[in-house]
Amino acid sequence: MSWSKLKQQLESFLCPALVGTYEYRSTSYRYVSDKAGQCYISVDKKNVLNMSDAAKWIRWYGTELEIKNDPTIQVPVTDEEIELIRKEIKGNVPEDRLQVIASGRKKSEHAKKLWMAQSELSKSNFNDVATRFLSTSIEESLESHHILLNVLALVDRRVGKKRIVNMSKTIKLKHPVVQYFYELRLSTYR
């Protein structure tokens, strides 16, 4: 599908409150081999999410440790997960230490998922993901671990106020870029 057709279809699903402030943009250089092009999402004419084929690894988070130490990412730990660690250790470990171990493991898993999602952002991948977004349900896109699918779903007009408000806890587990677009969409209701 051509870029103009894809852009037109994506914009047809855009939340009416974001029309004029949220925009899809793309550049390509046909005759220059080292300039593969860029694709980005801008808000109020500022590039917020930049996807470039030249930069395969986007450096929002440099390491897994940065994600684990980010205080804005809260990973909830269930009683079952703590009990599983208690059985695994087979010893007298203080309850608060079990909580720390479970939280550390869960944050490591979460950090790996965020890294995978970050690595998939490129211009060539944008077209594939946007086409997939247009053919899948909005629920699948919202629940996905893919950053771009989450962003496209959050700005979609089919996602109502009630669903946006109910996502406040699950959005804390998402990448900061997804959280930014969540806040942007939430601000349209204030």
Side-chain angles (χ1 to χ4, degrees):
M1 181 181 310
S2 70
W3 167 250
S4 58
K5 188 76 160 172
L6 182 63
K7 180 181 175 184
Q8 182 182 16
Q9 286 187 353
L10 288 173
E11 288 175 345
S12 72
F13 285 108
L14 190 60
C15 164
L18 294 176
V19 172
T21 60
Y22 181 94
E23 190 175 11
Y24 299 104
R25 295 181 177 189
S26 176
T27 61
S28 3
Y29 303 95
R30 182 177 294 171
Y31 300 111
V32 182
S33 60
D34 64 338
K35 298 269 186 174
Q38 296 181 352
C39 189
Y40 48 94
I41 296 173
S42 66
V43 176
D44 294 327
K45 306 289 182 197
K46 293 178 187 162
N47 296 347
V48 177
L49 181 58
N50 187 7
M51 293 151 281
S52 171
D53 284 337
K56 185 176 179 183
W57 294 96
I58 297 173
R59 293 257 174 177
W60 291 313
Y61 283 117
T63 64
E64 179 183 327
L65 189 60
E66 286 180 34
I67 297 171
K68 287 174 72 174
N69 292 333
D70 188 348
T72 61
I73 298 176
Q74 300 296 320
V75 181
V77 179
T78 64
D79 292 335
E80 292 86 24
E81 292 165 336
I82 292 174
E83 192 59 37
L84 183 68
I85 291 174
R86 182 178 288 119
K87 289 177 183 176
E88 190 177 297
I89 293 177
K90 297 179 186 173
N92 290 336
V93 180
E95 197 66 31
D96 59 336
R97 186 65 189 146
L98 288 173
Q99 178 76 24
V100 170
I101 293 170
S103 178
R105 286 184 182 178
K106 198 138 184 205
K107 278 190 171 188
S108 290
E109 292 172 17
H110 185 66
K112 288 174 184 155
K113 288 178 185 176
L114 282 180
W115 261 97
M116 290 295 290
Q118 274 186 191
S119 68
E120 293 177 354
L121 292 176
S122 67
K123 182 185 178 195
S124 56
N125 196 30
F126 177 85
N127 292 344
D128 296 338
V129 174
T131 305
R132 185 172 58 181
F133 169 75
L134 292 171
S135 63
T136 60
S137 71
I138 202 75
E139 288 81 19
E140 279 183 56
S141 298
L142 286 170
E143 293 170 5
S144 171
H145 292 293
H146 198 287
I147 294 172
L148 192 54
L149 277 177
N150 292 156
V151 169
L152 293 173
L154 283 171
V155 298
D156 195 296
R157 63 181 156 81
R158 296 173 289 177
V159 179
K161 180 180 180 178
K162 185 176 180 180
R163 186 181 288 174
I164 291 287
V165 172
N166 289 339
M167 291 176 62
S168 64
K169 290 184 182 179
T170 58
I171 209 71
K172 292 177 183 174
L173 296 173
K174 301 287 186 176
H175 194 276
V177 170
V178 177
Q179 292 176 14
Y180 171 83
F181 285 101
Y182 173 77
E183 291 297 325
L184 177 70
R185 181 64 189 269
L186 196 59
S187 70
T188 64
Y189 295 118
R190 294 181 189 149

